[in-house]
Amino acid sequence: MDNCLFCKIIAGEIPSTKVYEDDAVFAFRDINPQAPVHILVVPKQHICCADAVDAGNSACVARCFEAIAKIAKAEGLENGYRVINNCGADGGQTVMHLHFHILGGVKFSDKMI
Ligand code: 5GP
Ligand code: ZN
């Protein structure tokens, strides 16, 4: 997808600190970390947002969550972590390529739900 920041990161056109990659998933450290561990997990397939997930592309969401479990183990997050997806303007999404935030390395006290 032209002019998509995360597609360019996946392609290596924009540098990132990669922590995991397989045929379907790319993961890298967030440039503005909100926790000691803050990793973005993205499908290599360009999907704009959670709202665009359907029966034809949902397999890559499962692949993202398989990667999340592997990354969490590799990062030593055995006490737990938070996975966040922001969807659309009201959800606070700023990069329109589906991604999941892994936040960990600290015990979160504030809960939204
Ligand atoms: P969103 O707000 O869309 O859920 O999350 C986008 C995330 O991408 C933000 O946490 C932001 O810090 C991160 N981000 C934006 N631009 C870059 C970049 O160029 N490199 C990296 N590694 N992260 C970025
Ligand atoms: Zn993209």
Side-chain angles (χ1 to χ4, degrees):
M1 177 66 69
D2 290 345
N3 284 325
C4 171
L5 174 65
F6 287 176
C7 281
K8 288 179 179 173
I9 286 176
I10 292 163
E13 295 166 12
I14 293 174
S16 69
T17 306
K18 181 173 80 173
V19 297
Y20 178 85
E21 182 175 14
D22 63 31
D23 60 307
V25 178
F26 194 89
F28 53 100
R29 297 197 189 278
D30 196 292
I31 203 167
N32 182 25
Q34 303 299 305
V37 175
H38 187 173
I39 292 166
L40 301 173
V41 180
V42 308
K44 287 187 172 177
Q45 179 181 351
H46 179 89
I47 300 169
C48 69
C49 54
D51 202 44
V53 174
D54 60 23
N57 62 25
S58 60
C60 70
V61 177
R63 295 291 301 273
C64 282
F65 274 83
E66 291 179 38
I68 286 168
K70 291 178 188 170
I71 294 163
K73 288 177 179 64
E75 294 287 324
L77 301 178
E78 61 276 349
N79 284 334
Y81 51 93
R82 196 169 277 184
V83 178
I84 293 176
N85 168 257
N86 298 321
C87 180
D90 281 5
Q93 185 176 5
T94 59
V95 179
M96 294 306 291
H97 181 130
L98 178 66
H99 55 280
F100 300 96
H101 299 253
I102 302 175
L103 293 157
V106 66
K107 179 159 177 52
F108 294 105
S109 52
D110 55 319
K111 289 189 71 171
M112 287 188 70
I113 55 170

